[in-house]
Amino acid sequence: MSEAEVVNMPIAKAINEGLRRAMADNDRVILMGEDIGTLGGVFRVTDALQAEFGSARVLDTPLAESGIIGSAIGLAMNGYRPVCEIQFDGFIFPGFDQITSQLAKLTSRHDGLLNFPVVIRVPYGGHIGAVEHHQESPEAYFAHTPGLRLVSPSTANDAYWMIQQAIASNDPVMFFEPKAKYWAKGDVALEGEPLGLHKTRVARIGKDVTVVGHGAMVPVLLQAAQVAQSEGTSIEVLDLRSISPIDYDPILESVRKTGRLVVAQEAPGSVSVGSEIAATVAEKAFYSLQAPVLRVSGYDTPFPPAKLEGLYLPDADRVLEAVDRTLSY
Amino acid sequence: MPWVQDPQPVQFLTPDGDFAPNESAQAFAAELESLDLVALQEMYRDMALTRAFDTECTNLQRQGQLALWVPSVGQEGAQVGSARAALPQDHIFPSYREHAVARIRGVNLVNVVAQFRGVTHGGWDVTDPAHGNFHLYTLVIGSQALHATGFALSQVLDATKKAGEKDLPAGAQGRETNEATIVYFGDGATSQGDVNEAMIFAASYQTPQLFFVQNNKWAISVPVERQARTPIYRRAAGFGLKSIQIDGNDILASYAVSNRMLKDARAGGGPQFIEALTYRIGAHTTSDDPTKYRENEELLEWQAKDPIRRFEKYIKSQGAEDSFFEQVAADAGELALKIRDGVLHMPVPEPGAMFKHVYAEEHPVMQGQAAWLERYENSFEAGESA
């Protein structure tokens, strides 16, 4: 790959560029959401796209999440590929019925005769010091729902490619964007063959303990691995990328090597994505495990007021505490 | 003194079947000009056959052959009138009681029963042109209103693109689409957020759409007065929709007003709303007992307004002969037998079917679980033969 094809940009810009390219490639791709047009979204992820493609392809909708998802379903029935923006994680619930009881089930209800290629973009997670409902990680609700696909990029390169892959998918895809990392820059390879949408990625090679997470958790895990290295512990970091389905092969392969697994997430730990990974690894790699699989997560409380979020959100120290515990077996 | 003076609901036929258009009906009289005796007889046939089908399905449920049935008895006039006003290119989003509409649009009624037999959650191929763009039944009350609005929005986007334009400015007039979308729902559904959001989106984008509420007075056991303390059609006007209340048991009123509104919608007139005043003669579904929540006098009053009986009298006055009615009765009996036979011989899906279309694209969990179930099932067969 030539250097000219690699551009350094923030994650928000990478998604913007991915959307632009998907829209240019296919005129059935449309964007819909609150404030995404003239404003370019509250995080500016859709910046300048309405000016470029017109207000009939970048639709500022009325302020109603169920309305956005429900009408996206109707648009998909006529061959459109709507990309919906939910302004903040905690605002997705007015659309919950349309996502879980309608969108997720419609392919099956139609015996596969109609496709529902709807993408739902959800800026999610904490670390931005915001008010209630603006820092949540609701992905487990949707990972529990058959018929949906869930992904979350942690790098600019993945953000650029995965949004395009999500739009190209003929299934509904929920695209969880780590909003705290919108401004984190990374190299984006504008050409070439991207990793599959539902593949787990080895973000750092190690041999003593495997840690796995997604979205904004990944940089925290990498930071923890860095610190651990200085203390003589080699951590392998896996970037989940796909929350549903989960690509278990790289996780199992890593656990067979390290014998230890820590699963980290911002969401509350009970009945979570981390719980599912722990159960599956216990089932499929039981004889490789040297210690119980440990979860590091938010507490089973509502997301706390911003002044307490530093205590709630797993940081490198909490990850390392779990790493130490797993090594103590 | 009421805050708003409601006009009379549009009515052409009195409950006794006399053609006596009221004042509200005058403006729509021209819509009936194209209906000759052949067309009128076809509409009668639609209602009569649907009722026979419906009665047979209730029997099948009572005999344990269906888990549930959703009767439409009493609402045939509202349904047939509006469905006969739709053009082939229009799309229709039903709730789950629009059996007459399904039949008119070309769906095999046996397939309508399939989900109540427990063999599918759908039942027909909505992409097959023979099915008249009649979409699947939706059981979460009012959810389909948003799907319809999204579909109608796609009709706007298609027309916008065709016109070589790329913008949909806020506050813009509607655009000619030459096709429309109809959504059916009931009085209970008007309390749902989705129906209200659908009207908001429809008004915002001026979709070519007809919202058709069959106000049958009862949402299972709850009277319409618990849902709305204004006539429902007035609410739609508040969203900026053109809205009219009709006598829903008058098939001519349903046809005439639907025809006018659909033409207007296709021509860019924006979303429209009809409140059809009708009555659910039977239960909400075969699972409830209406005698527990409503008075017999009310039932008798509405039975006297039956849409089929009044239309029968009318078309007789227009020249329909006894032989026609005899033929319809024979066809209705034949349809009922066909339905019974179709239901009793409906194949049960293969076990693997539940995994097959959860996703459009390959999915490792579905593949894994389907394979596991197959092995599990086969393990019993192996055990038997051993």
Side-chain angles (χ1 to χ4, degrees), chain B residues 84-361:
Chain B
R84 281 291 169 199
L87 292 179
Q89 69 268 31
D90 295 337
H91 278 253
I92 298 181
F93 289 76
S95 61
Y96 46 75
R97 206 186 292 279
E98 284 67 37
H99 316 317
V101 186
R103 186 186 151 277
I104 288 170
R105 298 301 282 191
V107 176
N108 182 342
L109 287 177
V110 172
N111 294 335
V112 171
V113 193
Q115 75 166 302
F116 302 99
R117 176 79 167 169
V119 301
T120 177
H121 291 318
W124 57 94
D125 178 359
V126 302
T127 66
D128 184 342
H131 296 155
N133 301 327
F134 185 75
H135 290 266
L136 296 181
Y137 281 0
T138 299
L139 307 185
V140 179
I141 303 295
S143 292
Q144 77 278 8
L146 281 169
H147 308 164
T149 298
F151 199 96
L153 175 54
S154 80
Q155 292 169 322
V156 172
L157 297 184
D158 285 350
T160 304
K161 191 181 152 201
K162 207 171 161 189
E165 291 176 33
K166 52 183 248 178
D167 283 307
L168 279 181
Q173 296 294 309
R175 185 179 284 284
E176 187 178 346
T177 51
N178 296 317
E179 56 180 285
T181 298
I182 307 176
V183 58
Y184 289 95
F185 51 97
D187 45 293
T190 63
S191 294
Q192 288 280 16
D194 277 3
V195 170
N196 290 275
E197 290 185 26
M199 287 194 272
I200 290 165
F201 276 61
S204 177
Y205 298 114
Q206 289 295 290
T207 55
Q209 193 173 359
L210 173 59
F211 290 81
F212 195 102
V213 58
Q214 294 166 80
N215 176 357
N216 70 14
K217 303 282 186 276
W218 292 90
I220 306 190
S221 65
V222 177
V224 66
E225 291 77 13
R226 186 63 68 199
Q227 316 290 344
R229 295 301 295 266
T230 66
I232 288 169
Y233 86 99
R234 269 201 226 157
R235 286 188 178 165
F239 288 106
L241 275 58
K242 296 171 184 166
S243 187
I244 291 175
Q245 193 181 45
I246 67 168
D247 176 350
N249 283 10
D250 174 6
I251 190 171
L252 295 181
S254 180
Y255 175 82
V257 178
S258 299
N259 204 37
R260 170 74 60 81
M261 286 188 147
L262 284 168
K263 279 194 277 190
D264 189 29
R266 293 183 205 106
Q272 328 258 331
F273 190 102
I274 291 175
E275 179 188 8
L277 299 172
T278 182
Y279 194 75
R280 195 188 73 212
I281 295 295
H284 164 70
T285 71
T286 46
S287 295
D288 67 290
D289 172 9
T291 62
K292 290 190 81 153
Y293 52 79
R294 56 185 202 195
E295 299 297 330
N296 196 46
E297 290 73 43
E298 186 182 86
L299 177 63
L300 294 174
E301 178 196 327
W302 279 94
Q303 277 173 332
K305 300 181 193 172
D306 186 78
I308 300 184
R309 213 171 42 85
R310 86 167 75 167
F311 196 56
E312 179 180 334
K313 191 176 170 204
Y314 172 67
I315 61 172
K316 276 180 178 163
S317 77
Q318 298 299 299
E321 293 175 3
D322 289 348
S323 59
F324 163 74
F325 293 102
E326 284 158 16
Q327 184 60 51
V328 170
D331 291 349
E334 199 176 304
L335 173 66
L337 285 175
K338 209 181 94 189
I339 294 300
R340 170 166 293 268
D341 188 61
V343 166
L344 298 182
H345 294 99
M346 207 172 269
V348 174
E350 295 297 314
M354 70 177 118
F355 304 102
K356 213 167 174 183
H357 300 299
V358 179
Y359 297 89
E361 297 183 0

Side-chain angles (χ1 to χ4, degrees), chain A residues 64-80:
Chain A
E65 287 77 13
S66 190
I68 293 168
I69 308 297
S71 50
I73 287 169
L75 283 152
M77 285 173 163
N78 205 16
Y80 283 87

